[in-house]
Amino acid sequence: MSRCSDYQLLSFVLLLLITIHPSSQSRVREENGVKSAVFLSPKFVLEPGSVSNKFYYDIDFPKGHIALKSFDAEVVDEAGNSVPLHETYLHHWVVVRYYHRQGVDVAKYHGNLGFHKSNFIIKRNSGICEGGLSQYFGLGSETRKTMSYVPDPYGIEVGNPVEVPPGYEERWLLNVHAIDTRGAEDRLGCTECRCDLYNVTKDEYDRDIEPDYIGGLRCCYDETRCRVKDGFQGSRRSLYLKYTVKYIDWDASILPVKIYILDVTDTWKRPGKSTATVARHHCLIEYLVESCSASVANADCSHTKKITVTFPSGGDIIYGVAHQHTGGTGMALHGEDGRVICSSLPIYGEGMEPGNEAGYIVGMSSCYPRPGSIKISEGETVTLLSNYSNAQRHTGVMGLFYLLVAEPSPKPNSILHSTDGTGEIIILHNAVGALAVFGIALIVGAVVIYRRRNQREEGYESILM
Ligand SMILES: *[C@@H]1O[C@H](CO)[C@@H](O)[C@H](O)[C@H]1NC(C)=O
Ligand SMILES: *[C@@H]1O[C@H](CO)[C@@H](O)[C@H](O)[C@H]1NC(C)=O
């Protein structure tokens, strides 16, 4: 064999290896001190109608004591091309920070939602739900057009060795829930996890699903299948969550922000004076929006769900964004005096291409108040409101609100905080045009966890969102 053909053979083999096994970490770039690293999740395989809801432990993640500046993700195929939502519906991806006991081996992939607590400690965000919604980052179909950048001089501090309990190391977990809706008989129904379309009467843990549970995550767990049109043929294919993490090395000039996630299904009630019990933030994560009945004169057919909770600790709002599913028309968070802390509106796609799929929420507008202009005070009563169109029924919808809050620093920093009191909010992404489209749609996704499992398996800590 000539040198030339050896070389060709080698190139061919290399090419094959690259094609078959895309390297998980493609590259780290640096621009103005901000590093940007692109990774691929482990691969998941889908065929028409199938669902993948897997948990990947110890995923690739930037190392060291850093400030996270953004986390963006999307589904790509083996060739690295973006996959549209009408083919692979991204119900949610969630990224959880945890401490792993050194010397204990765990497979990188578990279908299981829990780990023995002593080997595995979830480093939760700052609140406010108990059990689920512990993630640092997570989005659904809106992932391609939702800004996640944390403005300067703020950052999400991670990887600080002094925070890690002795004998443990910090790691990251990724949960990806995706539904292949190619050839689906009812695309929206599949994305809304309607139990009849999945032909499911028992959930993942073999518990009966009550007849009044029409749809939601209990019916579209890992390896379930949504009904596909008779005779539809579609290939099995390998997909990845491609995620891009931007970060900077930690230094004293960075102001840390805390992550809070509010959920409109939180069952918390203000404790009565007579009761000594502590109110719990039991977050149900999903809810049902019934269609507006024809008999009721409700011309605009809009459904509003509202809760009031006290905010645990105060500070400046640095960033806010809501998460809703198809049919969503916006969420708002109000302070005790009625002021708008942040309102976030869905952006619906209008075409076919990835990032602009008609009928899907492809982005959510986000709030970047001028630092210091919008504050929440400790213990303030806030009202969270989630609007949906109920021109038709929507099952398994969500209404989450993700906030980054900078606590007042002990020494006021006059450079950073303008004393502007106008409460100006910059809404990025104009969603006005997009709102016209709601009514069609598909669900969007986010995160989930079943507290019941949590209760069932003492000693395990549940992960999900
Ligand atoms: C639905 O499930 C039942 C029992 O689990 C099975 O007998 C039936 O064939 C399934 N129907 C379809 C359309 O898959
Ligand atoms: C939600 O709906 C209510 C009632 O129709 C309306 O007053 C409010 O402005 C809406 N908020 C958002 C954020 O869409």
Side-chain angles (χ1 to χ4, degrees):
M1 210 181 248
S2 74
R3 286 178 73 90
C4 175
S5 67
D6 273 356
Y7 176 74
Q8 281 171 347
L9 187 67
L10 185 67
S11 317
F12 177 69
V13 169
L14 281 176
L15 197 68
L16 205 67
L17 283 174
I18 291 163
T19 318
I20 290 172
H21 185 79
S23 120
S24 107
Q25 172 163 5
S26 355
R27 53 192 184 268
V28 178
R29 289 205 189 117
E30 184 162 349
E31 205 177 307
N32 302 326
V34 179
K35 293 178 184 136
S36 176
V38 183
F39 306 96
L40 290 181
S41 72
K43 84 170 172 203
F44 50 96
V45 178
L46 287 175
E47 58 189 39
S50 72
V51 175
S52 175
N53 181 24
K54 296 198 163 47
F55 296 81
Y56 308 105
Y57 295 80
D58 194 18
I59 57 163
D60 291 316
F61 203 86
K63 301 273 181 249
H65 188 190
I66 55 178
L68 298 175
K69 296 295 282 180
S70 69
F71 193 110
D72 296 302
E74 66 161 338
V75 172
V76 297
D77 65 13
E78 222 140 15
N81 301 314
S82 302
V83 177
L85 293 165
H86 45 84
E87 293 182 6
T88 300
Y89 177 73
L90 180 57
H91 188 279
H92 65 259
W93 59 264
V94 176
V95 172
V96 175
R97 180 182 176 192
Y98 68 98
Y99 300 131
H100 174 92
R101 193 205 287 276
Q102 281 162 335
V104 176
D105 262 358
V106 247
K108 278 209 166 191
Y109 155 65
H110 277 250
N112 209 335
L113 307 187
F115 247 125
H116 203 272
K117 260 187 187 162
S118 59
N119 292 332
F120 184 86
I121 304 165
I122 291 179
K123 174 70 179 140
R124 302 180 58 90
N125 58 40
S126 300
I128 60 171
C129 295
E130 289 161 56
L133 299 170
S134 59
Q135 70 266 22
Y136 267 52
F137 302 100
L139 292 172
S141 72
E142 75 276 33
T143 192
R144 288 195 175 101
K145 286 206 174 126
T146 303
M147 295 205 44
S148 70
Y149 202 74
V150 184
D152 293 338
Y154 302 96
I156 297 165
E157 182 182 9
V158 302
N160 185 351
V162 307
E163 286 181 26
V164 181
Y168 287 80
E169 61 187 77
E170 185 174 300
R171 292 185 177 183
W172 294 82
L173 173 157
L174 171 68
N175 166 223
V176 181
H177 186 163
I179 305 172
D180 190 327
T181 61
R182 287 174 296 165
E185 208 178 272
D186 178 346
R187 273 213 168 85
L188 177 61
C190 291
T191 62
E192 291 188 340
C193 297
R194 256 182 34 212
C195 304
D196 59 334
L197 293 169
Y198 286 86
N199 193 23
V200 159
T201 54
K202 284 182 186 291
D203 71 11
E204 193 171 4
Y205 314 111
D206 211 34
R207 294 167 309 198
D208 287 328
I209 291 171
E210 310 75 43
D212 63 349
Y213 186 89
I214 302 155
L217 281 152
R218 290 181 70 197
C219 289
C220 60
Y221 48 89
D222 192 33
E223 305 288 324
T224 52
R225 227 156 247 284
C226 196
R227 198 179 301 154
V228 171
K229 288 179 198 136
D230 270 349
F232 180 83
Q233 297 291 316
S235 56
R236 255 171 92 79
R237 59 180 183 183
S238 298
L239 301 169
Y240 305 83
L241 189 79
K242 176 177 153 191
Y243 55 100
T244 304
V245 189
K246 291 194 173 152
Y247 60 101
I248 47 181
D249 294 329
W250 186 261
D251 77 65
S253 71
I254 301 164
L255 298 181
V257 286
K258 286 189 164 178
I259 300 166
Y260 289 92
I261 299 177
L262 308 186
D263 179 356
V264 81
T265 67
D266 191 339
T267 59
W268 182 88
K269 290 275 179 303
R270 186 183 303 281
K273 286 202 178 87
S274 54
T275 63
T277 57
V278 177
R280 292 174 60 88
H281 288 282
H282 179 36
C283 297
L284 306 174
I285 298 163
E286 6 169 66
Y287 65 104
L288 173 71
V289 172
E290 278 297 358
S291 78
C292 58
S293 137
S295 60
V296 177
N298 183 355
D300 66 346
C301 280
S302 77
H303 177 278
T304 300
K305 191 171 174 65
K306 199 159 117 170
I307 56 150
T308 304
V309 290
T310 56
F311 205 79
S313 68
D316 291 334
I317 303 296
I318 301 307
Y319 168 84
V321 71
H323 170 78
Q324 291 190 304
H325 290 193
T326 295
T329 57
M331 289 188 72
L333 181 67
H334 294 266
E336 205 161 310
D337 57 0
R339 74 191 186 286
V340 177
I341 292 167
C342 170
S343 92
S344 172
L345 302 175
I347 300 161
Y348 282 88
E350 295 174 334
M352 289 297 281
E353 69 281 14
N356 186 35
E357 301 92 331
Y360 295 85
I361 296 183
V362 297
M364 293 294 297
S365 70
S366 42
C367 298
Y368 285 94
R370 182 177 311 156
S373 66
I374 303 274
K375 294 174 191 298
I376 293 189
S377 29
E378 189 172 335
E380 180 170 349
T381 301
V382 296
T383 300
L384 181 66
L385 190 143
S386 170
N387 289 344
Y388 271 83
S389 157
N390 58 353
Q392 65 183 106
R393 180 163 73 193
H394 293 287
T395 63
V397 303
M398 299 181 48
L400 304 182
F401 218 98
Y402 179 101
L403 291 169
L404 295 179
V405 179
E407 290 189 341
S409 48
K411 32 178 191 349
N413 189 335
S414 54
I415 306 160
L416 301 166
H417 295 259
S418 78
T419 47
D420 162 61
T422 58
E424 176 187 346
I425 294 180
I426 306 153
I427 302 264
L428 294 150
H429 288 130
N430 182 345
V432 174
L435 271 174
V437 196
F438 75 78
I440 323 170
L442 287 168
I443 235 188
V444 167
V447 179
V448 157
I449 183 193
Y450 288 113
R451 294 182 58 100
R452 278 176 223 184
R453 174 179 180 86
N454 206 10
Q455 286 154 5
R456 224 166 57 121
E457 301 194 7
E458 299 282 327
Y460 283 78
E461 190 165 359
S462 54
I463 291 158
L464 302 223
M465 351 189 345

